[in-house]
Amino acid sequence: MARFRRANGESVPPNLVFEALHESPLLLLHVELEMKRLQLAHAPAVPHLFLNLDPDSFHLGEGVRHNLFVELFRQHQQAGRQITVEVIENLSIQDVERSREMISVLKGAGFGVALDDLGVAGTVVSYDTLSESSVVKFDRSWLEQRSPRREAALRWFIGLARELEVTTVLEGVEDHDHLLFAREAGFD
C-alpha cells in the first residue's frame, strides 16, 4: 500500500493522489511503475507478497509484446517469491471489463490475484472479478460496522467465495476480538 505525505509530514489519502494521477495517464503509469519497483525492492524477505495495482495503470503498461507490470512481477517471482496482485475494487461499472481483462492476463502469467477491499461503499463487484480471483480481501469496515443485515451479507459473500473456491481474508485484524470475529464469520 502506498503512503503519501505533504512536505510538512501530513498524510495524504492515497485515493486523492490517484484521483489526481488519473488526470494524466502517462504520469499515472510512471508513478505506479516506480512505486511497484520501490515496494518490491524494499519488501521484507517473505516468500509471498501482495501488491495493489490499479487496472488503469496495468492497461497503460501494455506494450507491443508484453506488459511492463507483468515483466516486473515476473522478475521477482523467478527470484523465488510468489506474487499475488490485489485488484483494486474501488471501480465504477465501466471499469469491470478492464479489471476482468487484467485478472485474465495476470492469471495467465502465473500470478495469484486477489480482489481487494470487498464491501467498501461505492464499489462494484462483478461475477467475473470475483470468480476469477484466487483471494478476496474484505475491507476492515466489516469489523467496525456491524449489524444483522451486514452480517447476513457477510455470511452470503463468504459462502459464495467458498463455493467458488476463493480464499477469504479479512483486513484489519489487530486483536483477539477481531480474530474471534473473523473465525466465527468463517474467514480462511
Side-chain angles (χ1 to χ4, degrees):
M1 167 79 71
R3 301 285 184 242
F4 300 96
R5 301 207 179 279
R6 291 189 168 85
N8 67 2
E10 180 184 352
S11 284
V12 179
N15 63 310
L16 296 179
V17 174
F18 281 96
E19 285 173 17
L21 287 172
H22 274 86
E23 299 297 320
S24 175
L26 289 177
L27 186 57
L28 172 65
L29 172 62
H30 176 73
V31 169
E32 183 89 84
L33 194 56
E34 287 306 310
M35 281 192 318
K36 295 306 160 232
R37 286 183 178 133
L38 285 168
Q39 288 170 338
L40 287 164
H42 297 284
V46 294
H48 192 167
L49 191 61
F50 284 79
L51 295 168
N52 286 46
L53 185 58
D54 183 296
D56 291 327
S57 300
F58 180 82
H59 286 283
L60 289 168
E62 291 180 346
V64 175
R65 294 190 183 151
H66 63 276
N67 182 288
L68 296 172
F69 293 98
V70 169
E71 294 304 312
L72 176 64
F73 300 157
R74 187 172 282 138
Q75 292 168 8
H76 287 270
Q77 190 148 297
Q78 289 170 344
R81 188 179 261 173
Q82 182 181 351
I83 304 283
T84 295
V85 179
E86 299 177 11
V87 179
I88 299 170
E89 192 59 9
N90 54 352
L91 306 170
S92 67
I93 193 71
Q94 296 85 2
D95 292 332
V96 170
E97 181 62 22
R98 182 168 280 200
S99 182
R100 188 197 60 73
E101 291 170 4
M102 175 179 152
I103 290 169
S104 178
V105 169
L106 290 168
K107 284 183 71 174
F111 301 108
V113 177
L115 184 59
D116 197 23
D117 292 338
L118 185 69
V120 172
T123 62
V124 63
V125 177
S126 74
Y127 169 77
D128 288 337
T129 57
L130 180 60
S131 66
E132 291 299 318
S133 298
S134 50
V135 177
V136 175
K137 294 179 69 185
F138 288 71
D139 182 68
R140 70 181 56 232
S141 64
W142 292 100
L143 289 167
E144 301 156 0
Q145 302 167 9
R146 296 187 196 170
S147 72
R149 288 181 61 86
R150 281 184 61 84
E151 288 180 17
L154 182 59
R155 285 191 301 275
W156 183 82
F157 276 129
I158 291 172
L160 177 61
R162 192 147 333 311
E163 287 292 321
L164 296 173
E165 299 178 350
V166 175
T167 301
T168 56
V169 174
L170 178 60
E171 295 180 326
V173 175
E174 297 174 355
D175 59 35
H176 181 71
D177 289 339
H178 290 164
L179 182 59
L180 186 60
F181 174 79
R183 285 182 176 157
E184 287 176 359
F187 285 96
D188 296 311

